[in-house]
Amino acid sequence: MARLFTVLAHALRQPALSAIAAAAIALPALSTPTLARGPENIADVAEKVIDAVVNISTSQKVEARGGGSGGGQAVPQLPPGSPFEEFFEEFFKNRRGQGGDDQAPNRSPRRVNSLGSGFIVDAAGVVVTNNHVIADADEITVILTDGTRLKAEVVGKDTKTDLAVLRVKPTKPLKAVKFGDSDKLRLGEWVIAIGNPFSLGGSVTAGIVSARNRDINSGPYDNYIQTDAAINRGNSGGPLFNLDGDVIGVNTAIISPSGGSIGIGFAVPSKVVQSVASSLQQFGEIRRGWLGVKIQQVTDEIAESLNIKPARGALIAGVDDKGPAKPAGIEAGDVIIKFDGKDIKEMRDLPRIVADTPVGRDVEVVIVRKGKEEKKTVKLGRLEDEKPVKASVTPPPSDDKSVVQKSLGLQLSNMSDDLRKKYKIKDAVKGVVITGVDAQSVASDKRLTAGSTIVAIEQEQMAAAADVQKKVDALKKAGKKTALLLVATAEGDMLFVALPIE
């Protein structure tokens, strides 16, 4: 059965609640040993913090998509590229068939309400939630545990971490909670989730920390806490507490084939939430650090080629000509193994650490270049938008355009105007053109294709096809088993590929 990452905000109606109630009545009574229910102070923690947990109701005008007036629902608007779109499309498509005219044409726009969760971090009225809970909403209402409804305004939001900060104007100070240190969480530690699942506000569930540093491919800074505390649609944006009553995460997503909890939920760590919330409150936007490099994973093959043991770090595949890394002396082929005193164990660690580092700060970066460690100092820039990265690798042009050679399972040719035109290779791309790939070779398995360009091998620039075989022969003589190629696509995107030397 396919697994679906499910957004937890929802728009649930009464018939669904009735179905849930009926199912609950049908369940047999269960006898659970006292120790299996968790530590005794869960009730004390819940009582201490529950008034700081709020329900968030949003209203949005949407174009009708069928379903008639008999109870059809419009699909909630999600961020572009959200991994949850497929689930919602299917879920609401099925519900439209339960009482309404799917064929009704030219229906006027109508309002759709949805519910999520949040929590108060400042008694003056500052609320943290998920961005997808309030995305594209026309009206946002924060509902306190005593039923008080307060209109909310958006202070700021961040799609990359799916977080948002709201502000309300209460008539008296509100109950607020403080953040704990998510870095100190241990596997198996008890945690408590409180929120508004299926419109059942003030619901408390408990479980343990199942894993840390989870990457669910929802964004560039994925670093989720995984928990088996029951989390469902409507819990989204709600807090995950430790047993001290401190917020150590924001419940954001679950894995579920049906939309209900199966004990695999994910929360944004409080360390990330604090940083984002602070920036949104101070500036109304996120100000992230920017290094100006394109990176890729250091595989075992690449690590062997670069003489890095064990395999670790982030391999620099390209350096932005206008980025902070270039004047610091960082080059394509370098491997960053430490940034600002923090170890880079794998590629995805680097973007997260760089983003959390203050803009304009001088940062020490430890790299491995040709098997030796070096230290560089980078004055960190500010990440504005996604920036195209152009590798600073410009081998001299060759006058010989006729050479065609085979090596490493590749058919190679010197760059020429005809080849640029044939493969639509940009002028900025320099090197030796791949004109064919042996279907039985490792190069084919690595998805190298005709039209790509070998820019360098083992960080030595390639100007002519003959240079490739010469370099491969030298590596073989030196006892090397693999050759590390820097390959450019026709558009100029860079990628390192390790190929065995036969």
Side-chain angles (χ1 to χ4, degrees):
M1 182 176 293
R3 299 193 311 175
L4 297 173
F5 286 106
T6 308
V7 164
L8 309 172
H10 72 290
L12 193 68
R13 299 188 183 276
Q14 190 61 38
L17 286 175
S18 299
I20 293 172
I25 292 171
L27 290 175
L30 299 176
S31 176
T32 305
T34 301
L35 291 178
R37 292 199 293 265
E40 295 179 358
N41 63 328
I42 285 180
D44 296 331
V45 175
E47 185 177 0
K48 172 184 173 182
V49 301
I50 197 165
D51 286 342
V53 182
V54 301
N55 297 342
I56 296 178
S57 173
T58 65
S59 177
Q60 178 187 358
K61 182 182 289 185
V62 298
E63 295 294 331
R65 298 181 61 181
S69 59
Q73 292 173 274
V75 179
Q77 299 300 303
L78 302 174
S82 168
F84 317 120
E85 289 175 332
E86 179 182 348
F87 168 77
F88 268 112
E89 184 70 32
E90 188 65 27
F91 177 77
F92 283 88
K93 184 191 299 179
N94 292 339
R95 288 188 60 78
R96 280 198 292 268
Q98 297 178 5
D101 182 7
D102 286 341
Q103 309 304 319
N106 302 321
R107 298 183 63 231
S108 59
R110 59 193 177 91
R111 287 202 167 276
V112 170
N113 296 320
S114 63
L115 293 170
S117 305
F119 57 99
I120 301 165
V121 294
D122 189 321
V126 178
V127 177
V128 172
T129 186
N130 279 139
N131 175 63
H132 74 254
V133 170
I134 54 91
D136 300 320
D138 300 324
E139 296 179 3
I140 305 171
T141 302
V142 169
I143 307 171
L144 307 182
T145 52
D146 63 5
T148 301
R149 303 174 69 90
L150 301 171
K151 293 295 182 183
E153 63 176 351
V154 178
V155 174
K157 51 188 179 180
D158 178 37
T159 58
K160 289 184 172 63
T161 56
D162 195 15
L163 294 170
V165 175
L166 310 177
R167 179 178 286 115
V168 297
K169 297 179 179 179
T171 56
K172 60 181 180 180
L174 303 175
K175 170 69 176 180
V177 288
K178 62 186 181 72
F179 288 106
D181 188 348
S182 55
D183 283 350
K184 293 182 178 179
L185 281 177
R186 297 180 302 160
L187 297 186
E189 182 175 338
W190 279 91
V191 289
I192 303 168
I194 304 180
N196 185 36
F198 297 106
S199 300
L200 303 172
S203 292
V204 180
T205 56
I208 62 170
V209 174
S210 305
R212 295 178 55 197
N213 304 317
R214 285 296 196 208
D215 182 359
I216 63 174
N217 297 313
S218 68
Y221 309 118
D222 277 16
N223 182 30
Y224 288 99
I225 300 165
Q226 181 184 328
T227 178
D228 66 353
I231 297 173
N232 292 284
R233 289 195 305 276
N235 271 113
S236 203
L240 190 69
F241 293 101
N242 60 21
L243 293 186
D244 292 325
D246 299 332
V247 177
I248 46 84
V250 175
N251 303 317
T252 299
I254 60 175
I255 292 180
S256 174
S258 63
S261 174
I262 59 170
I264 306 178
F266 300 96
V268 181
S270 59
K271 184 175 181 180
V272 174
V273 181
Q274 278 184 286
S275 175
V276 171
S278 176
S279 182
L280 291 178
Q281 289 181 77
Q282 186 175 358
F283 307 113
E285 62 181 358
I286 299 299
R287 298 185 177 182
R288 292 189 169 96
W290 175 55
L291 187 57
V293 295
K294 181 178 179 181
I295 59 175
Q296 69 180 81
Q297 186 73 18
V298 179
T299 64
D300 290 338
E301 297 162 314
I302 290 176
E304 183 181 347
S305 297
L306 296 175
N307 195 26
I308 297 177
K309 296 179 181 180
R312 66 193 191 280
L315 176 61
I316 305 299
V319 180
D320 192 305
D321 288 334
K322 297 181 180 180
K326 186 171 184 179
I330 294 176
E331 302 173 355
D334 292 342
V335 176
I336 296 179
I337 59 172
K338 186 170 288 190
F339 186 91
D340 195 23
K342 301 178 181 67
D343 291 332
I344 308 300
K345 296 179 181 179
E346 54 183 304
M347 177 190 71
R348 69 187 184 95
D349 292 338
L350 184 63
R352 188 169 60 246
I353 294 173
V354 170
D356 288 341
T357 305
V359 175
R361 180 175 166 185
D362 289 331
V363 179
E364 183 179 88
V365 181
V366 180
I367 65 170
V368 174
R369 178 181 294 173
K370 296 182 179 180
K372 296 181 180 180
E373 289 190 15
E374 297 182 20
K375 293 181 179 179
K376 304 290 182 181
T377 300
V378 177
K379 190 175 187 64
L380 208 60
R382 178 183 172 186
L383 179 65
E384 300 291 347
D385 297 307
E386 295 300 324
K387 297 175 179 289
V389 177
K390 296 180 179 178
S392 301
V393 183
T394 53
S398 171
D399 293 330
D400 182 2
K401 307 297 182 182
S402 60
V403 176
V404 176
Q405 193 155 351
K406 289 185 177 181
S407 184
L408 301 172
L410 303 169
Q411 183 171 315
L412 307 170
S413 179
N414 290 353
M415 185 68 74
S416 67
D417 292 339
D418 289 341
L419 289 177
R420 284 193 185 278
K421 184 177 180 180
K422 177 180 179 180
Y423 295 114
K424 299 179 181 179
I425 302 172
K426 290 189 175 181
D427 292 340
V429 177
K430 310 292 183 182
V432 178
V433 182
I434 298 173
T435 56
V437 181
D438 185 344
Q440 304 302 317
S441 68
V442 175
S444 178
D445 295 338
K446 295 292 181 71
R447 298 184 179 180
L448 291 180
T449 59
S452 296
T453 300
I454 298 176
V455 176
I457 298 180
E458 300 289 327
Q459 296 174 273
E460 181 179 324
Q461 297 172 351
M462 296 291 107
D467 295 340
V468 174
Q469 188 59 51
K470 186 185 299 183
K471 182 64 178 177
V472 170
D473 291 340
L475 291 173
K476 186 183 296 185
K477 187 175 181 181
K480 288 275 191 175
K481 296 181 180 180
T482 58
L484 185 63
L485 281 60
L486 177 59
V487 179
T489 66
E491 292 75 24
D493 294 330
M494 299 290 179
L495 180 71
F496 280 96
V497 179
L499 295 178
I501 298 173
E502 298 175 357

